[in-house]
Amino acid sequence: PTSPRTPPLPPNLKTMAACAASSVAFRVAPRVGVARKANVTAKASRGGVVRVAANAEYKTQFVAPKDVKEHLDKGFTLVDIRSPEELNETGYKAAWKNIVLAIMDEDGEIQMNPNFLNQFRKEFPNSMSRILIACDDGSMRSEKASKAVVTKLGLTNVKVIQGGIDAYIEMFPLTKADKIKYRMADNGGDDLSTLVTGVDTRQPGQKFY
């Protein structure tokens, strides 16, 4: 049974999720000046993450919702690949990165994000970045996205949240504080030199370093 705190997605969003998972095709522009190695030995790291070779079979690594916080504390970033409609349906944490895998247009047609991999690479240029990927239920969409960023972009530490955002929110309901986005104030306040020596060393018009 579905928890009352996690309302089921409307049929059109469920359809979108299923279609996006079954029809996704990934392409990525080649990185200038970087040669790809044709054959890399596949091996498992101590954390259980498989480094996938070009000729090796990819295996998705899953993380239980109860272990998400531990991974985030260790430097993992949660990447929510759901559509804007799905985000509005359940809410989301401001700290999560949202890189949309697919959306449903006004005619009800599924439109894949052709820039998904390029956007992912821009956010995570380091192949050793620690990533947790999540869709609504942690199934085909997340698995395909995970496989793509590992095999196409060469990321080596990518895992999928088992049960997706729905399972995570059911276990850890979102709060108002989770949804707050913080930004730098227009005026940074007193300069550090003022606080330490009492003398403001900033140039005219300079607000903060």
Side-chain angles (χ1 to χ4, degrees):
T2 303
S3 168
R5 292 175 301 187
T6 309
L9 288 176
N12 63 327
L13 292 183
K14 281 295 184 185
T15 300
M16 188 193 75
C19 292
S22 62
S23 62
V24 60
F26 294 100
R27 294 180 181 177
V28 60
R31 182 177 294 181
V32 178
V34 177
R36 288 186 175 274
K37 295 182 179 180
N39 294 301
V40 181
T41 303
K43 60 182 179 179
S45 67
R46 185 164 57 182
V49 178
V50 175
R51 299 178 186 273
V52 181
N55 58 354
E57 182 179 353
Y58 174 76
K59 183 177 180 181
T60 304
Q61 302 296 307
F62 289 97
V63 172
K66 66 180 180 63
D67 296 325
V68 168
K69 184 180 185 304
E70 178 184 350
H71 279 71
L72 296 177
D73 290 343
K74 291 180 178 179
F76 278 77
T77 299
L78 194 156
V79 178
D80 189 339
I81 63 172
R82 298 178 299 161
S83 69
E85 291 81 6
E86 291 174 285
L87 298 181
N88 291 332
E89 186 73 23
T90 63
Y92 61 96
K93 288 191 177 184
W96 298 349
K97 295 286 186 182
N98 180 223
I99 304 178
V100 178
L101 180 68
I103 62 171
M104 180 176 289
D105 64 22
E106 296 179 354
D107 298 323
E109 298 293 329
I110 304 301
Q111 302 293 335
M112 301 305 300
N113 177 7
N115 297 314
F116 177 76
L117 286 181
N118 289 328
Q119 290 173 351
F120 216 104
R121 186 168 65 186
K122 183 177 180 180
E123 285 286 348
F124 304 102
N126 188 334
S127 64
M128 297 180 68
S129 297
R130 301 174 180 183
I131 309 296
L132 293 180
I133 289 180
C135 59
D136 60 333
D137 60 3
S139 59
M140 290 183 66
R141 270 195 296 176
S142 290
E143 292 182 43
K144 286 183 176 290
S146 172
K147 180 178 180 179
V149 299
V150 170
T151 60
K152 301 290 187 182
L153 301 184
L155 272 70
T156 59
N157 208 342
V158 179
K159 300 182 182 182
V160 169
I161 297 179
Q162 196 167 29
I165 296 298
D166 289 351
Y168 177 80
I169 291 178
E170 182 177 356
M171 186 171 291
F172 304 103
L174 298 181
T175 65
K176 290 183 178 180
D178 289 331
K179 303 175 183 179
I180 296 176
K181 290 188 177 182
Y182 296 93
R183 65 182 180 84
M184 180 70 75
D186 292 336
N187 193 326
D190 290 334
D191 179 65
L192 179 60
S193 62
T194 305
L195 298 176
V196 175
T197 66
V199 178
D200 190 343
T201 62
R202 292 175 295 181
Q203 298 297 317
Q206 183 180 354
K207 294 182 177 180
F208 46 81
Y209 295 114

